[in-house]
Amino acid sequence: MVHTSNQREHNNNDNNNSSSIPMEKIIQFANNMKCLGNEIRNKIGYIQQQQQQQGNVNVDEALHKMFQGVDILDWYWYHKRKGDIIEANKKWDGSNFISSLWNNIHYIIQEVSNKIGGGGKTKKTSIFGYIRDCFNIVLKRIMLLLEFPIDDDEYQYSPSNRKKDVLNLFQSKIGVQKIQLLCKLLKSMTSGFGYDLHGENDIGRMVGNVLVPLMEVDLLRLTGSNKEDIMDIQSTSMECILVVFKWKQHSSAILAPLVVDVRSSGEERTRPNPLRVRLIRSMIALLDSEEFIEKEHSAFLCCTCECLFRSLDIVYAIDLSQKNKKKGKGKEICNSNIDHLEAANIFKWVHKRLQHSDDHDAIIISEKRQSYNNHSVRWYYLRLLTSVIKLYPQSCAQYWPLFFPQSSTLPSPTHTSFTTNVTLVSIIGDAIIPLPTLEEKIVAIKASREFLVALPLQLWCRSGYLMNRVESSLWQVIISATAQLKIMKSSECIDELCYLARSIITKIPFDVYSKLMEPAADLLNEVGECYIRNEHSGGDNLSSALQVLADCMGGVETPNGTLTPLPLPSKAWLQRPLSSRFIDCVFQMILSIESKLVSTKGSIAMLKLDLITCMVRSVSWIVIENGERLQNFVSLCHIFIASDNASLRLTGVKLICAFLEGKRSIVRTATSHNNIRSVSMSSIYHCLFPMLQEKDSILRTSALTAYGYFKYSDWILLLFHNPSPLEYILPMCLEYSGDPDGGVRAEACRALGNIITECLESMGQQNHDDLTVKLYDVAVDTIMVTASAVEDSTAGVRSMALFAMGNIAFAITKMKSLSELLHKLQLVRLSEVAYKHIFDENDKVVGNAIRTLGHLCDILYNCDYKRTLRSCDKLASIKLCGEAALELGSVIGLAIFDVTDTSSNQRSWRQRNHAKRNAWGACNALSSILCSDVAREKVNHEGVKTALVQMIKCVQHAQSLNDKITTGAVSTLSLVPIDTYGYHSDNQSISGLCIASCLINLETVGSSFKKLISELMRHHLQSPTQRDILTCLNHADLSIGSIQYLYGWMVANNIDAVCFECVGETLKLSHYSSDVSLIQKFKSRAERKRRDENAATLFHTVRSHHDDDDDSDEDEL
């Protein structure tokens, strides 16, 4: 039966228990403990061998007896501490007995751990009960030895006088030996059975109540103690923590922030974990006590460094996961809860230790510390530096000069001299004596890469901060990495050098640091040469080089649909003749790829294809300008698409998509690419057309995407091709008669929108009569089909159908001649379809419906199309104007509600985010509706007024709302005719409300937004009425200071005299009528402005008469 901790404590508190266990029994247990350990060992051997052996004691039984010995120890220590025990036999050494007994228990626990526990989950629950029971006793014994006040239930300690008590104990040699034994036993139990221990109750208590206090002992304050024993205790404590770090649940219990509450939105509210702070600070304090540590104790420093950088790595991973849970809020990890001053101390400490020549060749050789045998002391310093950089990137901007060579000019690249200043560059470049080991070089490369990622180079280049010094340091990094790539044989080191090259190419702003362009291109060329050397030698270490080269080609699609640009060094390298060797090698060997390798994710063949895909998308001119490469590429596409493997066919379609996308950019930007005419688009078409009829929906979707990338010059031929691809794409949009897959239908709508938009935008530059007629018919068919697809049951299809309609409508508005196309469109019906889906349950559909409605209304109300409308359509269009204005105003009002009513608002972050986007679209869409003549129809009064008032509220709440919403509202309000404001004003003037809202925010907004508001103010103060000004003056948020500011603004912006006079007269009717001086300022300025205007008019009249006299013919012969 397992003894619980509470039972033991109860027995210990029994005063009569001192006589129930005589001293003879204690001595007997000490003599029999070794035999008992042998029996347990034999029994464990029996469990492993599954053989019956006579005379062995049952494991549960033997462990039960052993823990009776633990009970005796518990009893002995308890009463010894109280002074109840008087040892009759003075020759018997109680301390030696205790040490011997614990050593035997330690031995037994190790046997159980190695044979049954094994570091995994314990299957023998009864044995685990004994182990956990012993674990709690050991914790309690150490805490009693450390003189910690103990709560019987939770074993919590009080930090009062803690350091003094620990220091007193460490002055005693016997006390140190006891702590040593107990800590080793704790480590043994944790190594064998730590997985099954409870994270907070067991592991957290062990680390917080025992291990960290032992690590917090200040070595410099100890006198007359055995230094090595104390350092051994602290090393054992840190090794025990490293064992705990093997299990994620335990490391999180120690280092993760503590969750206080979970908000209704699902976001966790946390507070700093005090144990995390104490643990990391205790290790930093141990590093600061290095003056106490001699050279032969470097193993202690290594152990401290390892425990510290493992802790920092776990903290980084935890904070990174917390950042991801918050959907990327914040730009950097800053939740480490450790003062940045202490991070600065680590930077300085590592730099100082790297300069100690005594540590350069110090290899740890210690039988006690097997885990350190494979690394040098310097490796631990550099590894710690890497972890600190990742966790504290903001500190790197201050301390990077410690680890990079400093110079105001670029040094010569032809010779590398040895230096006594140990930096990351000197370690990478073998510029120190003795030479760094390979593992030191690898970790130095990693640290350099982390530095490059952390440094705010973009910010520095804009401010010109230390321009020459930064450029010189980066130059030396690039040169050293290039030199190492040329001579390096280690595949691991080559991988790290390639990843460093990627950070250099993608992170440095080469448009400012232009001197680094050519060295960076040389570095990228060397990465390509590594690939070629491995390819020709038949090596398999190609993955890193291929991955890095693909990442340096740009052409990756971002979430907003754009492509990442081609880095400048990559462009410089690809334009060199040297790059041809690499490019030809890739295109020659790509045809020999085996199908089974291509279909394997992460294989070398797939990495090659990823590289080619990036290249043909970003720098497709390297394919088009070379006939052999182009032929190889087309052949490769044919091979893939003709394959029986669906994944290979999909790869072929993706290659074509990338090529067409790259070809589009070349046509738009390049001036002379004659070889582009050699591209046989019919060959590409024959590859794609069968994919529209594939069974696999992903293949059909990819083929549709490819058709959306075709240019207008391609469609000149494809529109008249028999069969035309559009004849297959149009029916695919419809739910019941088209494609059964919703994703395919959505992509079909998107592709049609791209195709028609591309053709309509380019058609104005060229004149093809037959093509124009054909294109108009296709455009009308496309709009009508997408209008039907808007009723699809799949939200993605509805969204893409509206998206296509909006793009086509926007392209129509930019055409010079509209009449021939407009009379074929049923714009009123299309607008009603878009308006209907403003009420859709899907937020993306709502957003596209708002955008599309705005473009359609721009054509409907502001073009000549309305003249050809039938009477019933005219009435429908007038009614639509008011209804659309009312609903769009409500959309804007929802976004305003989200920022003004934060207390009772229960809407999720996702809902509020969509509301912001939709409000921005609504502000833009209203410009087409409110600027039209139908906006002044009486039937539209309520809708137009609501829209105007909501946009004015956007100006009023400009400090809280999203900038895009406010900018859109101000722009639309500036376009609305003044008479529209007056027509829809009731008791209060809408124009006056707008002036007041502008005036309230004009003093506080930024300069760019202030210009927009000033234009809106000028728009309303051209010819204001007394009702307009009176409504403005009666606004609740307006003060006398605002009126003073209005006067100054009107003077600075040269407002007409009639406006000054109107304000002055209206002030007499407002509650400012008692301020005579204020009224007089406006009236005086009005008179002065009128005199100036009359004088200017008279001057121009006289000048005109004078000019007429000069031009008379009276003096002509």
Side-chain angles (χ1 to χ4, degrees), residues 892-905 907 912 950 953-954 956-962:
I892 298 172
L894 186 59
I896 297 173
F897 170 76
D898 286 337
V899 299
T900 55
D901 190 358
T902 56
S903 59
S904 61
N905 193 346
R907 286 160 48 80
R912 294 194 298 269
Q950 292 298 340
K953 287 183 179 180
C954 290
Q956 181 179 348
H957 299 286
Q959 303 293 336
S960 305
L961 273 176
N962 183 272

Side-chain angles (χ1 to χ4, degrees), residues 505-506 551-556 558 562-568 570 618-619:
I505 300 300
T506 57
D551 293 340
C552 292
M553 292 299 142
V556 179
T558 60
T562 60
L563 298 178
T564 55
L566 177 70
L568 294 178
S570 302
S618 296
V619 288

